[in-house]
Amino acid sequence: MIELRGISKKFDDVIALTDVSGTIREGSVFGLVGTNGAGKSTCLRMISGVLKPDAGEVLVDEKNVYEDAEIRGNLFFISDDPYYFPNATPREMMRYYAAYYNGYDRERFSELMGKFGLQETRKIRTFSKGMKKQLSVILGICANTKYLICDETFDGLDPVMRQAVKSIFAVEMMNRDFTPVIASHNLRELEDLCDHVGLLHRGGMLLSKDVEELKSGLHRIQCAVKQEEKEQLLAALQVVKMEQRGSLLMLTVRGEERQIQAVIQQVHPVFAEIIPLTLEEIFVSETEVAGYDVKDLLF
Amino acid sequence: MTSKISYFNIMRQSARQRIWYGACMALVLFIALPVAAMLHFSGDAAELAKRGVSDAGYILDNMKTDFRAFVGGGYPLTSIAVGAGALLAAWSGLSYLHSSRNLDLMHSLPVKREKIFMAQTGASLLLFAVPYAANLLLVSILGALLGIYEPDMAGISLAAFFVHLIFFLAVYFFGSAAMLLTGKLLAGILGSLVLLGYLPGAALLLWQLPSIFYSTYSRASRSAEMAVSAAVYSSPVCSLGDFCVRAGKMGKPGAYWRFFSDKGWELLAFGAAAGLVMGALSWYLARIRPSEGAGHSLVFRRTEGAFKLALLPVLGIAGGQFFLSLGELNGGARDAWFWFGIVFSLIICSALIEIIYHFDRNRLLDHKLCTGIAILLTVGIGAWFQMDLGGFDNFLPAASRVKAMAVSYYNWYGSVMTEDGEMDVQTYLEKYGMMEAFDPIYRLAQEGVDAVRGGAPEDTQMTGITVIYQMENGQIKQREYEIPTAALRETEALLYEQEAYRNVMFPILTRDPDAVRVMDVHDPAVSVDLMQMSSEESAELVRTYQEELSTMSYEQLLEPASAILRFCDPDGSWIGNGLPVSRYFERTLAVLKERGYVPDASLNNIKISSITVNCRPTDKDGTESEAESSDSAVYTLPDDIEAVRKNLVWDENNWLLGLSDTFEQDILVDVEGINAQGESVYISCRYPRGKIPEPVKEFCGLD
């Protein structure tokens, strides 16, 4: 388990993170979202032991990751712009990492390189940006670490490759104790991948919840009801947001789907249906409830 | 997955990443060792051939001496390769610290940061040592092929190899400390140069200041020696340079180890100690250095002010000295140029430092407090020396505070040499010349201080003297004064009565006769080699000469010498200038006569072919006038020669200032001719005062 305990970080006069706390459970896929400059990379660098928090601490399996070098053997950090040695080939990079990560799987590396159509002996400097991203994921996966920390790793991957990486993650999670932590500024990229998401904004953790919990607790209703029954409906539901276009009422409500349906049936609507919310919409609603202008946060 | 990563594994990975560095060093060391050796020895052979040397034994010995010094670390290119290689290793090996992308990789690895640093150090040493050893082996093979390799050279080259590795590490740690303190490569390179050059530079600047502004400061004083020592010992680069220079002179068999046990280990120990301090600092910095420092000129922002405070005064004073020398070249007011240089350098360097720190023109005036303190410090140092606020030039302690004094003047400097062969006036005077009855010297010092305070009297010939005060509290002070020559001449006779003065004047008097050899004796016509004398005969002659010289009166000494004796150490190194054999030295002359030599100071035994008369009008201070250049007349006709040689006296007795009264100072005469053995002779002569022949008077325009 990775535990953030009130971590703060300041670069000169710029506050990058303020008192961020949270937990990343083992066996889940944790998504960290936020706008550019929200502090995602800083947070991941601290989780990886690259940066020392000014305050608080990051514990990986109950050990301080900055102070304890050995515990860093449990995680592999893929930065947003991975560094490769000048003139190095993928095989040389693999050998380099293999010297530091005792459980490095060289065969798996060759296998994955083949699957992704990347040559092990070609100079990395000749790779495209996307190929370099793929390589970084392969290098990270084959380190066989418990945690894989990915900073904007999916940016620059085409949909096919993204899907391929997702399937590799799924296989790894199925076969071993594997917990990817993925940061992105694009919530849509994480929607079908993450079990848990955290939203960073202006250096603080605005929200951190399980995706299922988020999805099951918030719903959108489209319905047409008579005016006198509208008041009764609104009073019975825990409405987060309401919009009305003519006689069509659009509500975002909190609660369990079954109970919500029962309440709607009681007012005998002319028309009613529950529409599933995207993760992005859920975030919009949740953050608006928290008093933030969501458009400034994500779009 | 959490087991420890082996140090050697990390080192191997680091070496693999920087194999280019190893290749580069292999090439450089190949040029610095085998190629340089080939060039050096082929040049040596050519030079000997040019000089007409055909003695194979001599040539071989000469080459062996050179080769021993070469493999012993006495060749500059090897030392340069060591220093430059160490810096390049530090800059390339630790450049990852200046890239945040690279740091994301390195610092997320399951290894302690200080362990990565030490592994980089090990890899750097390995990548340097292997090509060095290989090239040293090549040089040894080359030496063996040339037939100049001797068994002792293996030990010497091995010692030099390890010495160079220690210096390599020392310089490397200076570079690594700079790289760890900085977050940009350029700042790291500048920082390395600052760390290596700051203390030697500051020491030499501080040494220069008194010699620029104090008229009584002696460059040969102990403080100057201390400044040079401080420069040599405060930076491994300087220690390495000094080691190289000294080792280069130690090519004789056994000399290298003597040097090593005497001075070499000292240089090595200081270099190693400085490296150790920097190594410990680097290790600590590697441990605490924040990764976010990459991209910033200085990683630890609080050190910005401290570095600026340390750098500005040195740069300001250096700028002041630079502009002062420019002003002197152009004949300008040197003090004004000095202050202009200080102000100009402070402004420019302060701005430059801030630009390096921030690269932001809006922050050119940052670190105001440190800048203010640095300016005050610089102005304080400048004023201290330029205005002589410490009263250095006015120093004249009360006679009651002085225990003993010593004096010497420029005539002696060629002969002031300690038993170690060092030309150190202060050491020599302290050892042999301190006089407890110092009244005459004290009066000279008073005149010197008066001359400093009131300026030299007009139309007075001045002579430079060195005075050493041994204070009652044990302190030693040294000053140089300009004294009216007439006053010095009057004092000389009084001083000569004291044994201590005679001892310092004639170094041979304090030498052990058994540890000195008589080299030769000569008069205008003949030079007799006395090195063939047995040790006992030589010691006897030295002893006899010492006894007669020590009891010779001042008046006897003022007479021209009959001959000149020269002495040397058993290994052939000469001891000072030649010393006079007076006609009153009956026993010495008798010993020489036994060896078939009878001196003749006249020119009668020379068939003179030409006499060159140089009229050299001198200024009052004894220097040659710039206004009128000297005129020469060459006399070759027998009648002319006969006329001009009249009254000429052979003059090789340079010791006494009193002699300047005896001879005409402005006319120098060179006599060329052939002696009785048919050998060419060249002699310097003078005319006794008031005894200039008419043709010379006429030529020089004298009444």
Side-chain angles (χ1 to χ4, degrees), chain A residues 85 96 99-100, chain B residues 7-21 89 92-94 96 106 115-124 126-127 172:
Chain A
F85 295 115
Y96 184 81
Y100 291 94
Chain B
Y7 172 82
F8 293 102
N9 203 359
I10 306 171
M11 201 173 101
R12 200 179 60 186
Q13 291 302 323
S14 171
R16 209 178 257 176
Q17 298 309 319
R18 289 192 297 136
I19 202 77
W20 64 268
Y21 168 76
S92 64
L94 301 175
Y96 75 88
M106 304 294 281
K115 196 171 178 180
I116 296 177
F117 165 71
M118 292 313 289
Q120 293 281 7
T121 304
S124 297
L126 189 74
L127 289 170
Y172 173 88

Side-chain angles (χ1 to χ4, degrees), chain A residues 9 45 50 70 100 102 144, chain B residues 2-3 104 113 291-292:
Chain A
K9 189 73 188 173
R45 281 189 172 92
V50 174
E70 281 184 41
Y100 291 94
N102 296 330
N144 264 338
Chain B
T2 55
S3 67
D104 281 349
R113 294 160 186 225
S291 304
E292 61 266 32

Side-chain angles (χ1 to χ4, degrees), chain B residues 359-427:
Chain B
F359 207 70
D360 180 356
R361 65 186 163 87
N362 295 320
R363 298 185 67 179
L364 285 180
L365 300 177
D366 270 15
H367 303 102
K368 291 186 182 66
L369 179 65
C370 290
T371 310
I373 295 172
I375 290 170
L376 282 178
L377 201 60
T378 315
V379 170
I381 294 169
W384 178 269
F385 288 101
Q386 193 258 316
M387 297 173 186
D388 192 9
L389 297 179
F392 187 93
D393 281 343
N394 289 317
F395 176 78
L396 183 68
S400 58
R401 288 175 53 212
V402 180
K403 187 180 178 190
M405 288 178 80
V407 65
S408 70
Y409 46 91
Y410 70 93
N411 298 48
W412 301 1
Y413 290 166
S415 296
V416 172
M417 187 183 288
T418 63
E419 285 171 27
D420 306 329
E422 296 285 338
M423 299 283 285
D424 178 353
V425 177
Q426 182 167 353
T427 307

